[in-house]
Amino acid sequence: ILATIGPSSADRETISRLIDAGADAFRFNFSHGTHKDHKQRYNIVRSLSKEKGLFTTVVADLQGPKLRVGEFKNNKVMLREGAPFVLDMKNELGDEHRVTLPHKEIFQAIKPGDELLLNDGNIVLEVVSCDDNHAETAVKVGGELSSHKGVNLPNIKLPISALTEKDR
């Protein structure tokens, strides 16, 4: 049983109860918290598992590179299925027609026909045309898109490391 350790479950008493309830692995989400916080939690898990005579696994869930769209004028827009939508490197607030995507590596890797997933995969864009600093897309699955939402590129290899300096 894998239990995620976070602010509400990071104290010794709660971790002990989780172990007693059957948790035998603990996930540390390195997208949040400090190295000091995670070290303290790690020490609690190791100390309790030694005291209880149990083996526990610790999983470090590293943040990795964060690929996100920029900001919108009104913090969010509604993308309609079939509508065109542009991703570009312009340092300007976005609207229902375009938004900044400040990741040159993405533009270097994509090609027409590729799909981009935004907002945890809730929005799907298909690349119609592109160059080194912009992509014209068609909205395949629409929805609300707000500032700083994540971009995922399934089946596209990006020329960036999976480990960031923060992860190291």
Side-chain angles (χ1 to χ4, degrees):
I1 297 173
L2 177 67
T4 296
I5 299 297
S8 64
S9 61
D11 61 277
R12 184 177 178 82
E13 181 181 330
T14 303
I15 294 172
S16 181
R17 287 197 324 262
L18 287 167
I19 291 172
D20 292 343
D24 55 2
F26 292 90
R27 172 182 169 260
F28 292 74
N29 183 353
F30 281 83
S31 293
H32 307 286
T34 66
H35 291 286
K36 182 180 175 185
D37 294 337
H38 294 300
K39 177 69 172 159
Q40 289 172 338
R41 295 166 186 170
Y42 174 85
N43 289 339
I44 291 170
V45 168
R46 286 292 172 240
S47 171
L48 285 169
S49 61
K50 185 175 182 178
E51 287 173 21
K52 295 174 183 284
L54 299 170
F55 293 100
T56 57
T57 298
V58 173
V59 177
D61 187 351
L62 302 178
Q63 179 173 318
K66 288 292 184 183
L67 305 172
R68 299 183 180 277
V69 297
E71 292 186 37
F72 291 98
K73 290 177 188 168
N74 297 314
N75 193 43
K76 60 185 173 183
V77 296
M78 181 61 69
L79 299 183
R80 307 272 178 220
E81 186 176 328
F85 190 70
V86 174
L87 303 166
D88 60 42
M89 297 282 293
K90 295 178 185 174
N91 190 17
E92 301 171 4
L93 293 176
D95 57 27
E96 65 276 0
H97 304 291
R98 63 150 300 279
V99 73
T100 303
L101 183 59
H103 304 286
K104 190 171 189 140
E105 306 87 3
I106 291 176
F107 296 110
Q108 293 170 345
I110 60 175
K111 63 187 181 318
D114 286 340
E115 288 187 345
L116 293 88
L117 307 180
L118 285 67
N119 189 16
D120 295 325
N122 290 308
I123 295 173
V124 180
L125 305 178
E126 182 176 347
V127 178
V128 175
S129 66
C130 56
D131 61 29
D132 285 346
N133 53 24
H134 96 286
E136 295 179 26
T137 72
V139 179
K140 286 183 72 173
V141 177
E144 187 176 277
L145 181 61
S146 56
S147 298
H148 307 293
K149 286 297 182 181
V151 177
N152 189 322
L153 295 90
N155 306 314
I156 299 172
K157 184 168 174 72
L158 292 177
I160 56 176
S161 174
L163 289 177
T164 66
E165 284 305 312
K166 180 181 177 185
D167 295 334
R168 285 182 183 88

PDB file of all heavy atoms in Angstrom, residues 98-124:
ATOM      1  N   ARG A  98      -4.805  32.841 -28.819  1.00  0.00           N
ATOM      2  CA  ARG A  98      -3.391  32.489 -28.683  1.00  0.00           C
ATOM      3  C   ARG A  98      -2.933  32.594 -27.233  1.00  0.00           C
ATOM      4  O   ARG A  98      -3.580  33.243 -26.419  1.00  0.00           O
ATOM      5  CB  ARG A  98      -2.506  33.405 -29.532  1.00  0.00           C
ATOM      6  CG  ARG A  98      -2.558  34.874 -29.116  1.00  0.00           C
ATOM      7  CD  ARG A  98      -1.281  35.665 -29.367  1.00  0.00           C
ATOM      8  NE  ARG A  98      -0.107  35.201 -28.698  1.00  0.00           N
ATOM      9  CZ  ARG A  98       0.189  35.466 -27.421  1.00  0.00           C
ATOM     10  NH1 ARG A  98      -0.611  36.160 -26.647  1.00  0.00           N
ATOM     11  NH2 ARG A  98       1.315  34.998 -26.901  1.00  0.00           N
ATOM     12  N   VAL A  99      -1.796  31.955 -26.959  1.00  0.00           N
ATOM     13  CA  VAL A  99      -1.150  32.080 -25.651  1.00  0.00           C
ATOM     14  C   VAL A  99       0.341  31.804 -25.815  1.00  0.00           C
ATOM     15  O   VAL A  99       0.766  31.110 -26.747  1.00  0.00           O
ATOM     16  CB  VAL A  99      -1.780  31.126 -24.606  1.00  0.00           C
ATOM     17  CG1 VAL A  99      -1.388  29.672 -24.857  1.00  0.00           C
ATOM     18  CG2 VAL A  99      -1.388  31.546 -23.185  1.00  0.00           C
ATOM     19  N   THR A 100       1.104  32.363 -24.907  1.00  0.00           N
ATOM     20  CA  THR A 100       2.550  32.122 -24.886  1.00  0.00           C
ATOM     21  C   THR A 100       2.834  30.690 -24.436  1.00  0.00           C
ATOM     22  O   THR A 100       2.215  30.189 -23.504  1.00  0.00           O
ATOM     23  CB  THR A 100       3.233  33.087 -23.891  1.00  0.00           C
ATOM     24  OG1 THR A 100       2.927  34.421 -24.264  1.00  0.00           O
ATOM     25  CG2 THR A 100       4.743  32.894 -23.889  1.00  0.00           C
ATOM     26  N   LEU A 101       3.760  30.063 -25.118  1.00  0.00           N
ATOM     27  CA  LEU A 101       4.300  28.766 -24.704  1.00  0.00           C
ATOM     28  C   LEU A 101       5.813  28.962 -24.676  1.00  0.00           C
ATOM     29  O   LEU A 101       6.479  28.827 -25.708  1.00  0.00           O
ATOM     30  CB  LEU A 101       3.886  27.659 -25.675  1.00  0.00           C
ATOM     31  CG  LEU A 101       4.328  26.247 -25.304  1.00  0.00           C
ATOM     32  CD1 LEU A 101       3.784  25.837 -23.943  1.00  0.00           C
ATOM     33  CD2 LEU A 101       3.898  25.259 -26.364  1.00  0.00           C
ATOM     34  N   PRO A 102       6.370  29.314 -23.516  1.00  0.00           N
ATOM     35  CA  PRO A 102       7.770  29.725 -23.438  1.00  0.00           C
ATOM     36  C   PRO A 102       8.767  28.559 -23.408  1.00  0.00           C
ATOM     37  O   PRO A 102       9.659  28.515 -22.561  1.00  0.00           O
ATOM     38  CB  PRO A 102       7.809  30.519 -22.134  1.00  0.00           C
ATOM     39  CG  PRO A 102       6.794  29.838 -21.270  1.00  0.00           C
ATOM     40  CD  PRO A 102       5.705  29.398 -22.219  1.00  0.00           C
ATOM     41  N   HIS A 103       8.615  27.639 -24.323  1.00  0.00           N
ATOM     42  CA  HIS A 103       9.486  26.462 -24.354  1.00  0.00           C
ATOM     43  C   HIS A 103       9.923  26.202 -25.795  1.00  0.00           C
ATOM     44  O   HIS A 103       9.261  25.458 -26.538  1.00  0.00           O
ATOM     45  CB  HIS A 103       8.761  25.238 -23.779  1.00  0.00           C
ATOM     46  CG  HIS A 103       8.245  25.451 -22.396  1.00  0.00           C
ATOM     47  ND1 HIS A 103       9.071  25.488 -21.289  1.00  0.00           N
ATOM     48  CD2 HIS A 103       6.988  25.671 -21.932  1.00  0.00           C
ATOM     49  CE1 HIS A 103       8.349  25.703 -20.210  1.00  0.00           C
ATOM     50  NE2 HIS A 103       7.075  25.816 -20.569  1.00  0.00           N
ATOM     51  N   LYS A 104      11.029  26.787 -26.184  1.00  0.00           N
ATOM     52  CA  LYS A 104      11.540  26.650 -27.550  1.00  0.00           C
ATOM     53  C   LYS A 104      11.702  25.178 -27.954  1.00  0.00           C
ATOM     54  O   LYS A 104      11.505  24.815 -29.107  1.00  0.00           O
ATOM     55  CB  LYS A 104      12.865  27.406 -27.670  1.00  0.00           C
ATOM     56  CG  LYS A 104      13.342  27.538 -29.068  1.00  0.00           C
ATOM     57  CD  LYS A 104      14.536  28.461 -29.174  1.00  0.00           C
ATOM     58  CE  LYS A 104      14.804  28.720 -30.626  1.00  0.00           C
ATOM     59  NZ  LYS A 104      15.167  30.073 -30.917  1.00  0.00           N
ATOM     60  N   GLU A 105      12.041  24.352 -26.954  1.00  0.00           N
ATOM     61  CA  GLU A 105      12.251  22.930 -27.226  1.00  0.00           C
ATOM     62  C   GLU A 105      11.003  22.267 -27.810  1.00  0.00           C
ATOM     63  O   GLU A 105      11.097  21.356 -28.627  1.00  0.00           O
ATOM     64  CB  GLU A 105      12.637  22.179 -25.939  1.00  0.00           C
ATOM     65  CG  GLU A 105      13.818  22.752 -25.214  1.00  0.00           C
ATOM     66  CD  GLU A 105      13.427  23.880 -24.234  1.00  0.00           C
ATOM     67  OE1 GLU A 105      12.225  24.186 -24.075  1.00  0.00           O
ATOM     68  OE2 GLU A 105      14.335  24.466 -23.650  1.00  0.00           O
ATOM     69  N   ILE A 106       9.837  22.725 -27.379  1.00  0.00           N
ATOM     70  CA  ILE A 106       8.593  22.150 -27.887  1.00  0.00           C
ATOM     71  C   ILE A 106       8.443  22.464 -29.370  1.00  0.00           C
ATOM     72  O   ILE A 106       8.141  21.581 -30.177  1.00  0.00           O
ATOM     73  CB  ILE A 106       7.374  22.656 -27.081  1.00  0.00           C
ATOM     74  CG1 ILE A 106       7.411  22.075 -25.658  1.00  0.00           C
ATOM     75  CG2 ILE A 106       6.064  22.291 -27.790  1.00  0.00           C
ATOM     76  CD1 ILE A 106       6.303  22.581 -24.750  1.00  0.00           C
ATOM     77  N   PHE A 107       8.675  23.720 -29.728  1.00  0.00           N
ATOM     78  CA  PHE A 107       8.516  24.118 -31.133  1.00  0.00           C
ATOM     79  C   PHE A 107       9.528  23.411 -32.029  1.00  0.00           C
ATOM     80  O   PHE A 107       9.247  23.146 -33.193  1.00  0.00           O
ATOM     81  CB  PHE A 107       8.621  25.637 -31.273  1.00  0.00           C
ATOM     82  CG  PHE A 107       7.515  26.362 -30.558  1.00  0.00           C
ATOM     83  CD1 PHE A 107       7.760  27.095 -29.417  1.00  0.00           C
ATOM     84  CD2 PHE A 107       6.209  26.278 -31.021  1.00  0.00           C
ATOM     85  CE1 PHE A 107       6.738  27.744 -28.753  1.00  0.00           C
ATOM     86  CE2 PHE A 107       5.170  26.922 -30.365  1.00  0.00           C
ATOM     87  CZ  PHE A 107       5.436  27.657 -29.221  1.00  0.00           C
ATOM     88  N   GLN A 108      10.691  23.094 -31.490  1.00  0.00           N
ATOM     89  CA  GLN A 108      11.700  22.382 -32.267  1.00  0.00           C
ATOM     90  C   GLN A 108      11.343  20.911 -32.463  1.00  0.00           C
ATOM     91  O   GLN A 108      11.815  20.277 -33.401  1.00  0.00           O
ATOM     92  CB  GLN A 108      13.066  22.506 -31.571  1.00  0.00           C
ATOM     93  CG  GLN A 108      13.599  23.917 -31.566  1.00  0.00           C
ATOM     94  CD  GLN A 108      14.823  24.081 -30.672  1.00  0.00           C
ATOM     95  OE1 GLN A 108      15.130  23.232 -29.845  1.00  0.00           O
ATOM     96  NE2 GLN A 108      15.514  25.199 -30.835  1.00  0.00           N
ATOM     97  N   ALA A 109      10.487  20.378 -31.596  1.00  0.00           N
ATOM     98  CA  ALA A 109      10.195  18.948 -31.634  1.00  0.00           C
ATOM     99  C   ALA A 109       8.882  18.588 -32.325  1.00  0.00           C
ATOM    100  O   ALA A 109       8.744  17.473 -32.837  1.00  0.00           O
ATOM    101  CB  ALA A 109      10.172  18.395 -30.202  1.00  0.00           C
ATOM    102  N   ILE A 110       7.922  19.512 -32.350  1.00  0.00           N
ATOM    103  CA  ILE A 110       6.598  19.156 -32.886  1.00  0.00           C
ATOM    104  C   ILE A 110       6.547  19.262 -34.409  1.00  0.00           C
ATOM    105  O   ILE A 110       7.380  19.939 -35.020  1.00  0.00           O
ATOM    106  CB  ILE A 110       5.479  20.014 -32.253  1.00  0.00           C
ATOM    107  CG1 ILE A 110       5.704  21.499 -32.536  1.00  0.00           C
ATOM    108  CG2 ILE A 110       5.362  19.722 -30.778  1.00  0.00           C
ATOM    109  CD1 ILE A 110       4.586  22.407 -32.052  1.00  0.00           C
ATOM    110  N   LYS A 111       5.540  18.607 -34.972  1.00  0.00           N
ATOM    111  CA  LYS A 111       5.310  18.667 -36.419  1.00  0.00           C
ATOM    112  C   LYS A 111       3.800  18.575 -36.664  1.00  0.00           C
ATOM    113  O   LYS A 111       3.048  18.143 -35.783  1.00  0.00           O
ATOM    114  CB  LYS A 111       6.067  17.554 -37.132  1.00  0.00           C
ATOM    115  CG  LYS A 111       5.631  16.165 -36.744  1.00  0.00           C
ATOM    116  CD  LYS A 111       6.530  15.116 -37.354  1.00  0.00           C
ATOM    117  CE  LYS A 111       6.126  13.712 -37.008  1.00  0.00           C
ATOM    118  NZ  LYS A 111       5.713  13.431 -35.651  1.00  0.00           N
ATOM    119  N   PRO A 112       3.355  18.967 -37.852  1.00  0.00           N
ATOM    120  CA  PRO A 112       1.918  18.866 -38.154  1.00  0.00           C
ATOM    121  C   PRO A 112       1.395  17.453 -37.910  1.00  0.00           C
ATOM    122  O   PRO A 112       2.060  16.465 -38.222  1.00  0.00           O
ATOM    123  CB  PRO A 112       1.845  19.264 -39.629  1.00  0.00           C
ATOM    124  CG  PRO A 112       2.994  20.207 -39.800  1.00  0.00           C
ATOM    125  CD  PRO A 112       4.100  19.608 -38.943  1.00  0.00           C
ATOM    126  N   GLY A 113       0.208  17.390 -37.312  1.00  0.00           N
ATOM    127  CA  GLY A 113      -0.406  16.107 -36.985  1.00  0.00           C
ATOM    128  C   GLY A 113      -0.195  15.688 -35.543  1.00  0.00           C
ATOM    129  O   GLY A 113      -0.927  14.842 -35.026  1.00  0.00           O
ATOM    130  N   ASP A 114       0.822  16.265 -34.865  1.00  0.00           N
ATOM    131  CA  ASP A 114       1.067  15.929 -33.463  1.00  0.00           C
ATOM    132  C   ASP A 114      -0.057  16.464 -32.588  1.00  0.00           C
ATOM    133  O   ASP A 114      -0.663  17.494 -32.882  1.00  0.00           O
ATOM    134  CB  ASP A 114       2.393  16.521 -32.967  1.00  0.00           C
ATOM    135  CG  ASP A 114       3.609  15.790 -33.494  1.00  0.00           C
ATOM    136  OD1 ASP A 114       3.465  14.625 -33.929  1.00  0.00           O
ATOM    137  OD2 ASP A 114       4.711  16.381 -33.458  1.00  0.00           O
ATOM    138  N   GLU A 115      -0.309  15.764 -31.488  1.00  0.00           N
ATOM    139  CA  GLU A 115      -1.292  16.221 -30.517  1.00  0.00           C
ATOM    140  C   GLU A 115      -0.590  16.720 -29.266  1.00  0.00           C
ATOM    141  O   GLU A 115       0.392  16.129 -28.818  1.00  0.00           O
ATOM    142  CB  GLU A 115      -2.253  15.090 -30.135  1.00  0.00           C
ATOM    143  CG  GLU A 115      -3.228  14.747 -31.224  1.00  0.00           C
ATOM    144  CD  GLU A 115      -4.291  13.754 -30.779  1.00  0.00           C
ATOM    145  OE1 GLU A 115      -4.126  13.109 -29.709  1.00  0.00           O
ATOM    146  OE2 GLU A 115      -5.287  13.610 -31.499  1.00  0.00           O
ATOM    147  N   LEU A 116      -1.127  17.804 -28.719  1.00  0.00           N
ATOM    148  CA  LEU A 116      -0.647  18.359 -27.465  1.00  0.00           C
ATOM    149  C   LEU A 116      -1.795  18.306 -26.470  1.00  0.00           C
ATOM    150  O   LEU A 116      -2.929  18.660 -26.809  1.00  0.00           O
ATOM    151  CB  LEU A 116      -0.186  19.812 -27.641  1.00  0.00           C
ATOM    152  CG  LEU A 116       1.057  20.018 -28.492  1.00  0.00           C
ATOM    153  CD1 LEU A 116       0.675  20.160 -29.943  1.00  0.00           C
ATOM    154  CD2 LEU A 116       1.796  21.240 -28.025  1.00  0.00           C
ATOM    155  N   LEU A 117      -1.510  17.841 -25.286  1.00  0.00           N
ATOM    156  CA  LEU A 117      -2.514  17.758 -24.232  1.00  0.00           C
ATOM    157  C   LEU A 117      -2.261  18.886 -23.242  1.00  0.00           C
ATOM    158  O   LEU A 117      -1.146  19.053 -22.759  1.00  0.00           O
ATOM    159  CB  LEU A 117      -2.433  16.413 -23.519  1.00  0.00           C
ATOM    160  CG  LEU A 117      -2.480  15.166 -24.399  1.00  0.00           C
ATOM    161  CD1 LEU A 117      -2.382  13.906 -23.544  1.00  0.00           C
ATOM    162  CD2 LEU A 117      -3.744  15.147 -25.234  1.00  0.00           C
ATOM    163  N   LEU A 118      -3.308  19.638 -22.926  1.00  0.00           N
ATOM    164  CA  LEU A 118      -3.203  20.742 -21.980  1.00  0.00           C
ATOM    165  C   LEU A 118      -4.151  20.505 -20.821  1.00  0.00           C
ATOM    166  O   LEU A 118      -5.143  19.778 -20.968  1.00  0.00           O
ATOM    167  CB  LEU A 118      -3.542  22.075 -22.659  1.00  0.00           C
ATOM    168  CG  LEU A 118      -2.488  22.680 -23.596  1.00  0.00           C
ATOM    169  CD1 LEU A 118      -2.272  21.862 -24.833  1.00  0.00           C
ATOM    170  CD2 LEU A 118      -2.869  24.100 -23.959  1.00  0.00           C
ATOM    171  N   ASN A 119      -3.834  21.140 -19.698  1.00  0.00           N
ATOM    172  CA  ASN A 119      -4.715  21.076 -18.525  1.00  0.00           C
ATOM    173  C   ASN A 119      -4.998  19.621 -18.139  1.00  0.00           C
ATOM    174  O   ASN A 119      -6.147  19.183 -18.090  1.00  0.00           O
ATOM    175  CB  ASN A 119      -6.013  21.843 -18.807  1.00  0.00           C
ATOM    176  CG  ASN A 119      -6.866  22.009 -17.571  1.00  0.00           C
ATOM    177  OD1 ASN A 119      -6.404  21.834 -16.459  1.00  0.00           O
ATOM    178  ND2 ASN A 119      -8.125  22.344 -17.781  1.00  0.00           N
ATOM    179  N   ASP A 120      -3.922  18.878 -17.858  1.00  0.00           N
ATOM    180  CA  ASP A 120      -4.025  17.474 -17.441  1.00  0.00           C
ATOM    181  C   ASP A 120      -4.730  16.590 -18.465  1.00  0.00           C
ATOM    182  O   ASP A 120      -5.410  15.621 -18.110  1.00  0.00           O
ATOM    183  CB  ASP A 120      -4.726  17.357 -16.083  1.00  0.00           C
ATOM    184  CG  ASP A 120      -3.924  18.006 -14.966  1.00  0.00           C
ATOM    185  OD1 ASP A 120      -2.686  17.943 -15.009  1.00  0.00           O
ATOM    186  OD2 ASP A 120      -4.552  18.583 -14.052  1.00  0.00           O
ATOM    187  N   GLY A 121      -4.598  16.933 -19.746  1.00  0.00           N
ATOM    188  CA  GLY A 121      -5.179  16.125 -20.811  1.00  0.00           C
ATOM    189  C   GLY A 121      -6.638  16.424 -21.094  1.00  0.00           C
ATOM    190  O   GLY A 121      -7.248  15.779 -21.944  1.00  0.00           O
ATOM    191  N   ASN A 122      -7.207  17.410 -20.412  1.00  0.00           N
ATOM    192  CA  ASN A 122      -8.610  17.761 -20.639  1.00  0.00           C
ATOM    193  C   ASN A 122      -8.814  18.486 -21.963  1.00  0.00           C
ATOM    194  O   ASN A 122      -9.920  18.495 -22.501  1.00  0.00           O
ATOM    195  CB  ASN A 122      -9.143  18.622 -19.493  1.00  0.00           C
ATOM    196  CG  ASN A 122      -9.275  17.815 -18.217  1.00  0.00           C
ATOM    197  OD1 ASN A 122      -9.892  16.760 -18.208  1.00  0.00           O
ATOM    198  ND2 ASN A 122      -8.656  18.292 -17.153  1.00  0.00           N
ATOM    199  N   ILE A 123      -7.762  19.121 -22.478  1.00  0.00           N
ATOM    200  CA  ILE A 123      -7.826  19.836 -23.754  1.00  0.00           C
ATOM    201  C   ILE A 123      -6.845  19.182 -24.708  1.00  0.00           C
ATOM    202  O   ILE A 123      -5.697  18.903 -24.332  1.00  0.00           O
ATOM    203  CB  ILE A 123      -7.500  21.331 -23.564  1.00  0.00           C
ATOM    204  CG1 ILE A 123      -8.593  21.977 -22.703  1.00  0.00           C
ATOM    205  CG2 ILE A 123      -7.336  22.047 -24.895  1.00  0.00           C
ATOM    206  CD1 ILE A 123      -8.316  23.394 -22.302  1.00  0.00           C
ATOM    207  N   VAL A 124      -7.279  18.938 -25.927  1.00  0.00           N
ATOM    208  CA  VAL A 124      -6.413  18.323 -26.931  1.00  0.00           C
ATOM    209  C   VAL A 124      -6.323  19.267 -28.130  1.00  0.00           C
ATOM    210  O   VAL A 124      -7.333  19.678 -28.688  1.00  0.00           O
ATOM    211  CB  VAL A 124      -6.958  16.952 -27.395  1.00  0.00           C
ATOM    212  CG1 VAL A 124      -6.034  16.332 -28.440  1.00  0.00           C
ATOM    213  CG2 VAL A 124      -7.147  16.014 -26.201  1.00  0.00           C
TER     214      VAL A 124
END
